Amino acid sequence: MSAAGTPKDGLPTAAAGADGSRPEAMAVDRIAIETEHSAEGLRLLLRGDLDLATAREFEHRMEGASRKTPAAITVDLTGLSFLDSRGLRAILGAQELCDERGCRLTVIAGEQAQRLFDLTGLSERLPLADAASPRKTAD
């Protein structure tokens, strides 16, 4: 028996995932992040879950994208199936990173993320764009 708060047998725990151990590696299967380059800048398309288990992968990809010093980075969340508070924190971190590096961040929320942004008040704080405008032409 282990003391309270001590992980047993190396089983995945939230604390174990925070240090880059096995739970983090498994999380990559739960999120896919595709990078597109354009004249306007970089676009990160997220599919899957942006949550406690996958947020570090997104943060890592944002860090790499921002190092290339594009004028703009667009984070497209329309392919997310799940977003939790840790994912929200990662998105806010992306905004701070872009502010520090002098690039413009645009977030395309998608239906699920938009509801969460509205509920938490982040709709007023994040630079949101219409999901249809960046990729589709008008009728």
Side-chain angles (χ1 to χ4, degrees):
M1 312 301 148
S2 65
T6 304
K8 316 189 305 189
D9 310 327
L11 294 174
T13 64
D19 68 5
S21 65
R22 182 179 159 94
E24 179 99 11
M26 293 186 307
V28 176
D29 294 338
R30 294 184 35 223
I31 191 166
I33 303 172
E34 182 181 333
T35 304
E36 293 179 353
H37 301 268
S38 71
E40 296 83 32
L42 292 173
R43 180 186 194 99
L44 299 178
L45 298 119
L46 283 66
R47 291 182 188 86
D49 300 345
L50 183 55
D51 59 12
L52 178 64
T54 61
R56 285 192 64 180
E57 176 64 18
F58 169 68
E59 292 165 342
H60 175 74
R61 294 292 293 274
M62 266 304 296
E63 177 68 31
S66 69
R67 264 193 231 126
K68 297 174 183 175
T69 60
I73 297 176
T74 299
V75 177
D76 187 337
L77 306 176
T78 57
L80 287 183
S81 53
F82 182 75
L83 177 63
D84 73 358
S85 61
R86 180 60 177 93
L88 288 175
R89 189 170 133 212
I91 293 165
L92 288 172
Q95 183 180 27
E96 292 172 12
L97 184 64
C98 281
D99 288 347
E100 289 170 7
R101 302 246 167 114
C103 66
R104 185 180 72 250
L105 177 71
T106 302
V107 177
I108 302 172
E111 190 176 320
Q112 181 178 15
Q114 186 65 55
R115 280 193 306 262
L116 194 52
F117 293 159
D118 291 344
L119 181 66
T120 60
L122 291 178
S123 294
E124 304 303 317
R125 182 172 172 191
L126 290 172
L128 298 173
D130 181 14
S133 62
R135 297 195 128 217
K136 299 178 183 174
T137 58
D139 292 317

